[in-house]
């Protein structure tokens, strides 16, 4: 028996930039760059934030078959109101609409529909996430926690995958340098990679440390935190790499040296 294809996708977590990027990528894989307006409906909140009216319009769309047959895709784009599901409100409210949405998904939206939802703040213990897990896919994207060991490796893996998606060859030492530069800010990764591609004149050759040092500048608060973490973990190689990065970003060697001593202390 052929396996039923997944037609419900929920992307959430606490890393908004990564959630949005992955949702955009998923939609392109489903409907392409120029979706058929008769087979695609987009629901996105305005300046007023999430509203019950928008969600109930989406519910009506999910209950309506595709206009010209085939399959229809409905996208709840970059939604910020998932946390409201836990509020003890009913009727025409965001909380009430989210609970109705969970019931509809649980009952089944029909094989001629595809539903994609993305945004921060889903509670996996609430009905909506449980319904999506039961019939579809829930993908969680959280920023690495700098208080937990191994966050650097998680960021390195993410950066290397982002580079591979762009066709850019990124040696591990350059990846580690970028981890020092961006910390856990995944929203900066795409920008730094694009800067490297422009500086290197394309993706044909591997990026070098010299390339990265020439165009990628760090944030002082991130770098000093990385320095303190490396010293505390007694990783001499990492300490020297961070020191080299910091020194390379400053023109005043004496001031940089004093700052490093104070931060190390």
């Amino acid at each position: 028996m052929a396996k039923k294809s997944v037609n419900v996708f929920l992307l959430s977590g606490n890393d908004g930039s990564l959630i949005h990027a992955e949702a955009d990528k998923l939609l392109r894989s489903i409907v392409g760059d120029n979706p058929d307006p008769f087979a695609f409906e987009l629901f996105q909140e305005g300046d007023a934030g999430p509203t019950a009216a928008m969600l109930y319009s989406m519910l009506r769309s999910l209950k309506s078959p595709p206009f010209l047959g085939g399959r229809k895709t409905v996208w709840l784009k970059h939604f910020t109101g998932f946390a409201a599901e836990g509020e003890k409100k009913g009727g025409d409210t965001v909380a009430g609409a989210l609970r109705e949405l969970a019931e509809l998904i649980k009952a089944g939206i029909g094989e001629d529909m595809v539903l994609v939802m993305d945004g921060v703040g889903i509670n996996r213990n609430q009905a909506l996430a449980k319904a999506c897990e039961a019939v579809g896919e829930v993908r969680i994207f959280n920023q690495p926690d700098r208080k937990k060991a191994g966050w650097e490796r998680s960021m390195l893996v993410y950066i290397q995958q982002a580079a591979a998606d762009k066709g850019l060859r990124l040696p591990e030492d350059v990846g580690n340098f970028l981890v020092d530069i961006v910390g856990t800010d995944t929203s900066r990764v795409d920008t730094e990679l694009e800067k490297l591609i422009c500086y290197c004149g394309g993706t044909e050759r591997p990026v070098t440390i010299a390339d990265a040092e020439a165009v990628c500048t760090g944030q002082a608060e991130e770098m000093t935190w990385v320095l303190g973490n490396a010293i505390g973990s007694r990783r001499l190689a990492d300490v020297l790499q961070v020191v080299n990065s910091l020194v390379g970003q400053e023109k005043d060697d004496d001031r940089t040296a004093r700052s490093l001593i104070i931060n190390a202390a």
Side-chain angles (χ1 to χ4, degrees):
M1 181 181 295
K3 184 179 180 180
K4 183 180 177 180
S5 62
V6 174
N7 65 340
V8 175
F9 301 88
L10 171 61
L11 290 72
S12 192
N14 64 23
D15 192 336
S17 62
L18 183 53
I19 293 166
H20 297 169
E22 291 297 321
D24 293 345
K25 188 189 303 183
L26 175 61
L27 259 293
R28 285 195 299 272
S29 72
I30 295 173
V31 299
D33 292 325
N34 297 295
D36 181 353
F38 293 105
F40 176 70
E41 285 198 68
L42 171 66
F43 294 89
Q44 186 172 15
E45 62 199 57
D47 294 337
T51 65
M54 180 192 69
L55 291 174
Y56 281 115
S57 293
M58 189 181 77
L59 282 166
R60 289 192 292 272
S61 176
L62 289 170
K63 295 174 182 177
S64 303
F67 182 66
L68 297 175
R71 221 177 196 202
K72 180 170 75 173
T73 299
V74 175
W75 184 12
L76 180 59
K77 182 178 181 180
H78 307 349
F79 187 62
T80 65
F82 286 125
E85 184 185 2
E87 297 175 0
K88 295 181 179 179
K89 298 178 181 179
D92 294 335
T93 64
V94 171
L98 287 173
R99 287 193 282 270
E100 286 192 34
L101 177 60
E103 288 297 322
L104 178 63
I105 292 171
K106 184 179 179 181
I109 62 172
E111 295 185 12
D112 57 353
M113 306 290 293
V114 177
L115 171 63
V116 178
M117 300 178 288
D118 78 278
V120 298
I122 197 71
N123 185 337
R124 300 190 76 170
N125 294 319
Q126 297 284 352
L128 180 57
K130 289 183 176 180
C132 292
E133 284 183 317
V135 303
E137 289 185 11
V138 176
R139 304 178 186 178
I140 301 298
F141 302 94
N142 290 325
Q143 277 193 334
D145 187 347
R146 291 183 296 179
K147 295 179 181 178
K148 294 182 179 179
W151 71 266
E152 299 99 327
R153 183 64 191 172
S154 298
M155 278 301 300
L156 175 61
V157 171
Y158 172 70
I159 290 171
Q160 288 177 324
Q161 182 58 57
D165 290 344
K166 294 177 178 293
L168 185 65
R169 289 175 288 173
L170 201 69
E172 187 166 335
D173 60 340
V174 179
N176 285 324
F177 176 84
L178 291 179
V179 171
D180 291 343
I181 291 294
V182 304
T184 58
D185 187 358
T186 54
S187 66
R188 290 190 61 198
V189 172
D190 186 72
T191 299
E192 299 302 328
L193 292 176
E194 288 297 330
K195 284 159 60 176
L196 286 170
I197 291 172
C198 291
Y199 182 77
C200 295
T203 60
E204 287 74 21
R205 68 172 178 84
V207 179
T208 66
I209 281 288
D211 297 329
E213 289 176 340
V215 296
C216 299
T217 57
Q219 295 173 314
E221 62 273 17
E222 292 280 4
M223 294 295 286
T224 53
W225 187 93
V226 172
L227 174 63
N229 186 53
I231 292 173
S233 302
R234 300 184 180 183
R235 302 193 305 267
L236 179 59
D238 291 350
V239 172
L240 293 176
Q241 183 177 6
V242 177
V243 169
N244 184 62
S245 298
L246 283 168
V247 171
Q249 294 173 31
E250 299 290 344
K251 295 181 179 179
D252 188 334
D253 293 341
D254 290 339
R255 186 181 66 179
T256 302
R258 288 194 298 270
S259 177
L260 287 171
I261 292 170
I262 291 170
N263 280 297

